[in-house]
Amino acid sequence: PDKLTWVTYTGLLGSDNLLDFGLQLARHLPIKRGEICALRCGDYDCGTATLDVHRTVHRYHTPGTTQTALIETAVDSRTIALSADDTILLDTHLQRLSIAAGRLLTEDDYIYSRCVKVHDKDILQPIDPDYLSARCNKICAQLQLHGVTLTTLYKSQGHN
């Protein structure tokens, strides 16, 4: 990861604000990809600049089928203090998300989500944690950074 500069890396993201947001959270905060995907608006307190982490999302493969689903499970709860840059990142993302959804966000809306149409209604669908890893790996391959993954980037920032 020491060969990787975030300027070069994020330059390959183009206009993928959703990927950029996920990678910036993974870079700055001691939070894993499944925990990023499980965050809800009610977990973020802009008044105290904190983020409560108490769930994760992971892909579950139904045995004997090709069906998969995202399921939430509990993790050890913790509160993360956010820097001014982190709150700007979150606030900007939430404003973009609210505009995309065409409504105010609720406490139950996923922070790391995309707006999709279901039965002619815009809903906020959580992002699969595998999306973040797969996109990160693709960019590392483009940069010819063999062996660099989202996990190694995460650990290079001092996170466990």
Side-chain angles (χ1 to χ4, degrees):
D2 53 321
K3 295 192 320 186
L4 178 69
T5 67
W6 280 93
V7 173
T8 304
Y9 189 84
T10 56
L12 290 174
L13 298 177
S15 62
D16 192 341
N17 291 326
L18 188 60
L19 180 61
D20 179 52
F21 173 72
L23 292 173
Q24 292 298 333
L25 282 184
R27 176 182 177 208
H28 291 283
L29 302 177
I31 186 169
K32 296 179 180 173
R33 67 186 184 124
E35 294 169 336
I36 291 170
C37 296
L39 289 172
R40 295 185 185 246
C41 292
D43 298 329
Y44 172 50
D45 186 337
C46 62
T48 60
T50 57
L51 195 58
D52 292 326
V53 179
H54 47 92
R55 334 176 252 285
T56 189
V57 173
H58 57 93
R59 179 162 292 288
Y60 175 76
H61 297 273
T62 305
T65 71
T66 58
Q67 293 181 325
T68 61
L70 293 180
I71 60 170
E72 285 187 4
T73 56
V75 295
D76 290 334
S77 294
R78 64 191 185 283
T79 299
I80 299 171
L82 302 173
S83 70
D85 288 343
D86 296 334
T87 57
I88 290 169
L89 176 71
L90 273 164
D91 290 341
T92 302
H93 173 73
L94 293 174
Q95 288 171 0
R96 248 191 325 256
L97 195 57
S98 181
I99 290 167
R103 63 176 173 79
L104 294 175
L105 301 176
T106 69
E107 286 191 354
D108 291 330
D109 283 323
Y110 287 95
I111 290 176
Y112 193 49
S113 59
R114 66 171 46 118
C115 194
V116 296
K117 284 240 187 255
V118 175
H119 305 295
D120 294 326
K121 183 179 177 186
D122 289 329
I123 65 161
L124 296 175
Q125 182 180 41
I127 301 298
D128 187 325
D130 292 340
Y131 166 80
L132 198 54
S133 296
R135 291 284 287 133
C136 177
N137 294 343
K138 183 177 180 180
I139 291 171
C140 288
Q142 287 176 314
L143 292 171
Q144 298 181 350
L145 297 170
H146 307 291
V148 177
T149 64
L150 186 60
T151 301
T152 58
L153 290 172
Y154 179 80
K155 290 182 178 180
S156 74
Q157 300 300 310
H159 308 311
N160 293 322

